[in-house]
């Protein structure tokens, strides 16, 4: 299939402005006749549903959560980027665009990324107007901090709870539209299929999670804002309920899944402690502003730490290897995530890990505490303060900046990070891959749109920190509400769709078939145990480092496990008349099997290393990723037609007219 | 400790259990102190499933104390005995080998039980829909730095905005009042110039909806503050009362028609 990204012609910096000005509009009286379904009420979904409601469309918004306030977006900690240049440090739309393209290792579409950078500033304006309490300076203006992969300070933040505050802002806007009647909200409803009428997306099948009933909902267009698929790895920093079902079911109806193997492993997470572990907790990237990453230089020191005979404080300065600062002097601890994660893995592979499992490195704040302490003492006019005083003052400053993260660390590990360096290890965090969309955020199925983490659009092979919130809100507030008009302007005379038509009844019957199949197995093993096993295969063979042999084995193992699942899974309870979380999980895990296999297929196909995708066969002598622009500067968009046939690859060639493809160096 | 033995007295309601609910006691071995409370329940559920019994239904999502989904009463305390901690962040190192732990759902008329430990908290959403927002549309905003906000006001606003909408305050209150939740939102927005404009209308509309939802009155017990995992202060209730009383003077019913404070 030839893929057309529908990028408007013209100069990069003018594309969006001109396009927006020339787009067909839908008149207000016609908007009232048009129905839109938005699935998802995270940042992207809530922003889109609220904005579309404000514009006058009839919106139905669905979430499987008990309230739109709880989406996974709420957990984002560190911040949101915007090219405001409030710091006067040389930031600009172009620089944000360039950093994002480079950070993504040149595997994203230029025009989309430029538009993202362009609208970024409006997001901050919008959020402040909603009452989002961003961090401020004493002068009353907004504060910023730095994130990885960039040399300017453009990250806006609300303590360590930026996602929470932005989501609450979007949720409140959504709530206002609900009260005004322009958005009808369906909590505790899970979309289990998309319905196509004459090849266009015209509705969904949703399951009411309280009663188990299946419902048919029709509309003129469907927007998916259903988040990422990181939980295919079982252990990740994602919320427990994140899943791929909405996107995957669309793939099963013909949508293309783009770059599924591009997953982000975040370098700073609390390491795994035991096999009962259910999720991993992120320690925000903002900590790398002030924390220094190190391992002991000597294997015997690392071994002594692992066995509990020594601790971090016993290792003298000269025996520590600050390996990020050593390998990447220009960016130091603030290299992008993929680079930092791989460096930590290498250190642990060399036997220098500092947790009993061997899988952890230190993130140390002692230098920052001392530095802040001295500066604070200076401000207070204390000359020659005692060391103890300096540390106390420094700890106060660090607490002000990162207090909630330090408290969270201590709650989980029982260790005090003000005194003892944190132990961290990389964990699955974000998925750059997702539904293929064109410039309008429309998938290859007309009328089916995808926004936020569930699309593949802006981050290429690696996402920079604080850019997911930006993208979700850009899509939801400032892009989709315009571009959806392109599609809907052809539908102003199309009457409402009938949810009792044959297409809807068939889709409902298909969903019921899937549910009956899972309930009918009545095997012996829990859904969770299958999910754990799938995750282990994915992590070991399709995680931080991949090779052809491992990937080939992984594909076979996933297929075998999937077969076992359909023979031996036990889903207790009943499918209707009851609230049944085990059935919810079973449906999601069933889709993870297929998605996991596709990720492996994609990783095998991409014979290069780029961003989060590291093929061991393709690296430089120093162990850095080796891209192959001649052969792989394309988006891999896969069609999947079932277990018996191989997925089919479609390519969208990436054209770079404004940036020169360079090997990414942070040295 | 790695091998704790626990006795769990858990509320079961619906499904195979009675409609009005009952306590069922389970024994669990090999509980590690590093597990979170929910991971301990995962282990119990895995055991129940292998015995072909129905697992205990409980709600959770982020498991890091921010989404407000987890919601159970542990040994009489919403979110368990530790101050400033949600259930998902409570770790087993705070329990001892041989302990008996009682686990039940949040109890309040306005939070009906769905199943076992799961309750419906949509009433909170409806209170926000009544007026817990700033009335601006997408794209209407001016530059974010156009109005300076003092660090002090921003801090107070933030402290109130940290509410995770979990409902523990309601579960803790002998009157099942939602005043802490409502006041946190009213304060958050009233402390910022962007939200100040509608502060009075908002307070009236939200309190009205709170009453309609059947939450009880506040009689200054302050159990809410003690149990709130985000340590939201009861000073917010005082601030709400001030907004409410001065608003009640200014507005009459006529001005409140039409979609809350929309
Ligand atoms: C711990 C953590 C910290 C992070 N910190 C940052 C940060 O500091 N800065 C940053 O920029 N990014 C950060 N990210 C990434 C960022 O939070 C996410 O990428 C982003 O919030 C995703 O938003 P979303 O709206 O696309 O999806 P989500 O917030 O995941 O929302 C998905 C929505 O879809 C609904 N849904 C899904 N499937 C269905 C279905 N089948 N039926 C019905 N409803 C469905 C869900 O109920 C939910 O409402 C972080 C991520 C994690 C895990
Ligand atoms: S005020 Fe506290 S207890 Fe009440 S809902 Fe908010 S966070 Fe939960
Ligand atoms: S599960 Fe999110 S706060 Fe407990």
């Amino acid at each position: 299939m030839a893929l057309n990204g529908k990028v408007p012609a013209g100069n990069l910096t003018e594309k969006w402005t001109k396009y927006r000005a020339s787009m067909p509009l839908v008149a207000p009286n016609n908007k009232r006749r048009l129905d839109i379904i938005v699935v998802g009420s995270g940042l992207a979904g809530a922003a889109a549903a609220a904005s579309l409601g404000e514009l006058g469309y009839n919106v139905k918004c669905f979430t499987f959560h008990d309230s739109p306030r709880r989406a996974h977006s709420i957990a984002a900690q560190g911040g949101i980027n915007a090219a405001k240049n409030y710091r006067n440090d040389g930031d600009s739309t172009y620089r944000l665009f360039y950093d994002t393209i480079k950070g993504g290792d040149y595997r994203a579409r230029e025009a989309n990324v430029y538009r993202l950078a362009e609208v970024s500033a409006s997001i901050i304006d919008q959020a402040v107007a909603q009452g989002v309490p961003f961090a401020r300076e004493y002068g009353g203006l907004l504060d910023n901090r730095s994130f990885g992969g960039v040399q300017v300070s453009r990250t806006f933040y609300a303590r360590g709870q930026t996602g929470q505050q932005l989501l609450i802002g979007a949720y409140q806007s959504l709530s206002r539209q609900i009260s005004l009647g322009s958005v009808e909200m369906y909590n505790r409803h899970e979309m289990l299929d998309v319905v196509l009428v004459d090849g266009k997306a015209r509705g969904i099948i949703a399951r009411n999670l309280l009663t188990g009933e299946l419902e048919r909902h029709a509309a003129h267009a469907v927007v998916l804002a259903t988040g990422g698929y990181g939980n295919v790895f079982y252990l990740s920093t994602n919320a427990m309920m994140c899943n791929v079902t909405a996107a995957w079911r669309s793939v099963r109806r013909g949508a293309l899944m783009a770059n599924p193997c591009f997953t982000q492993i975040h370098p700073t997470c609390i390491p795994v402690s035991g096999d009962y572990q259910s999720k991993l907790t992120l320690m925000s990237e903002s900590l790398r502003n002030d924390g220094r990453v190190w391992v002991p230089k000597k294997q015997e020191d690392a071994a002594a730490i692992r066995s509990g005979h020594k601790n971090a404080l016993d290792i003298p300065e000269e025996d520590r290897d600050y390996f990020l600062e050593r390998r990447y002097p220009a960016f130091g601890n603030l290299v992008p995530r993929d680079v930092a994660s791989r460096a930590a893995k290498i250190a642990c592979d060399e036997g220098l890990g500092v947790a009993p499992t061997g899988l952890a490195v230190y993130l140390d704040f002692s230098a920052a505490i001392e530095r802040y302490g001295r500066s604070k003492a200076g401000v207070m006019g204390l000359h020659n303060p005692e060391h103890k005083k300096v540390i106390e003052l420094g700890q106060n400053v660090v607490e002000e900046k990162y207090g909630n993260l330090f408290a969270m660390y201590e709650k989980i590990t029982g260790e005090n990070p003000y005194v003892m360096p944190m132990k961290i290890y990389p964990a699955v965090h974000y998925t750059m891959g997702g539904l293929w969309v064109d410039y309008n955020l429309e998938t290859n199925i007309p009328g089916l749109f995808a926004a936020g983490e569930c699309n593949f659009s802006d981050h290429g092979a690696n996402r920079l920190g604080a850019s997911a919130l930006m993208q979700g809100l850009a899509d939801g507030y400032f892009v989709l509400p315009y571009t959806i008009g392109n599609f809907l302007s052809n539908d102003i005379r199309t009457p409402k769709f009938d949810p009792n038509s044959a297409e809807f009844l068939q889709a409902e019957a298909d969903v019921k078939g899937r549910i009956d199949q899972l309930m009918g197995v009545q095997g012996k093993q829990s859904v969770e145990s299958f999910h754990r096993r799938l995750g282990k295969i994915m992590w070991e063979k399709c995680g931080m480092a991949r090779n052809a042999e491992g990937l080939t084995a992984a594909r076979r193992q996933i297929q075998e496990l999937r077969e076992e699942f359909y023979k031996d899974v036990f889903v207790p309870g009943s499918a209707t008349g009851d609230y049944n979380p085990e059935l919810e999980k079973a449906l999601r895990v069933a889709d993870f099997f297929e998605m996991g296999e596709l990720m492996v297929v994609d990783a095998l196909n991409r014979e290069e290393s780029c961003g989060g995708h590291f093929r061991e066969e393709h690296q430089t002598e120093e162990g850095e990723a080796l891209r192959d622009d001649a052969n792989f500067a394309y988006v891999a968009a896969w069609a999947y037609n079932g277990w018996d046939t191989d997925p089919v690859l479609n390519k969208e060639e990436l054209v770079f007219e404004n940036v020169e493809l360079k090997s990414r160096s942070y040295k | 400790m790695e091998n704790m033995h626990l006795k769990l007295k858990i509320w079961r309601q619906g499904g195979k259990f009675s409609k009005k609910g009952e306590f069922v006691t389970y024994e669990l071995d090999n509980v590690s102190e590093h597990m979170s409370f929910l991971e301990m329940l995962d282990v119990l559920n895995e055991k129940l499933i292998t015995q072909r019994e129905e697992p205990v239904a409980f709600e959770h999502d982020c498991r890091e104390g921010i989404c407000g989904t987890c919601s159970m009463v542990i040994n009489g305390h919403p979110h368990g005995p530790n101050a400033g901690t949600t259930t998902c962040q409570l770790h087993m190192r705070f329990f001892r080998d041989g302990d008996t732990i009682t686990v039940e759902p949040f109890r309040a008329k306005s939070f009906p039980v769905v199943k076992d430990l799961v309750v419906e908290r949509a009433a909170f959403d409806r209170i926000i829909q009544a007026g817990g927002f700033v009335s601006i549309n997408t794209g209407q905003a001016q530059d974010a730095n156009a109005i300076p906000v003092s660090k002090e006001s921003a801090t107070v606003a933030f402290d109130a905005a940290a509410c995770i909408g979990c409902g523990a305050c309601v579960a803790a209150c002998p009157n099942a009042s939602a005043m802490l939740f409502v006041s946190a939102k009213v304060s958050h927005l009233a402390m910022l110039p962007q939200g100040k404009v509608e502060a009075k209308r908002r307070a009236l509309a939200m309190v009205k909806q709170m009453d309609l939802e059947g939450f009880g009155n506040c009689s200054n017990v302050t159990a809410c503050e003690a149990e709130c995992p985000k340590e939201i202060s009861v000073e917010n209730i005082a601030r709400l009362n001030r907004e409410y009383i001065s608003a009640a003077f200014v507005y009459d019913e006529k001005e409140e028609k039409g979609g809350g404070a929309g």
Side-chain angles (χ1 to χ4, degrees), chain A residues 51 54 65 67 70 84 86 125-126 131 140 159 171-172 176 188 240-241 278-279 411-412 523 526, chain B residues 39 46 52 59 61-64 67 69 84 93 115 120 125 137-139 143-144 149 159 185 188:
Chain A
S51 305
E54 288 162 9
H65 285 91
S67 157
R70 304 205 202 282
K84 278 283 198 188
Y86 283 161
D125 300 341
Q126 181 69 22
R159 294 190 194 155
Y171 160 74
Q172 288 171 187
R176 174 164 163 257
R188 296 189 190 273
M240 299 294 287
M241 293 199 282
S278 58
K279 78 156 280 176
K411 267 184 193 150
I412 293 173
S526 70
Chain B
E39 284 168 344
E46 183 66 33
R52 305 187 80 74
E59 279 197 292
D61 195 26
C62 73
R63 295 205 177 188
E64 47 188 67
C67 71
T69 310
R93 70 180 77 93
K115 190 177 183 178
E120 181 59 49
D125 284 336
N137 283 358
T138 304
D143 185 85
V149 180
D159 288 343
K185 185 49 59 195
H188 157 209

Side-chain angles (χ1 to χ4, degrees), chain A residues 39-45 62-65 71-73 75-80 147 189-192 225-228 237-238 242-243 245-246 282 429-430 451-454 463 465-470, chain B residues 64:
Chain A
V39 187
S41 54
L43 283 178
F62 293 80
T63 171
F64 57 64
H65 285 91
H72 164 60
S73 293
Q77 302 170 348
I80 176 167
F147 259 53
H189 275 67
E190 183 149 0
M191 166 192 163
L192 294 178
T226 49
T237 61
N238 287 12
C242 292
N243 69 83
T245 289
L282 176 77
H429 179 59
Y430 181 87
E453 191 173 341
C454 78
R463 173 176 71 77
S467 287
L469 302 182
M470 170 173 73
Chain B
E64 47 188 67

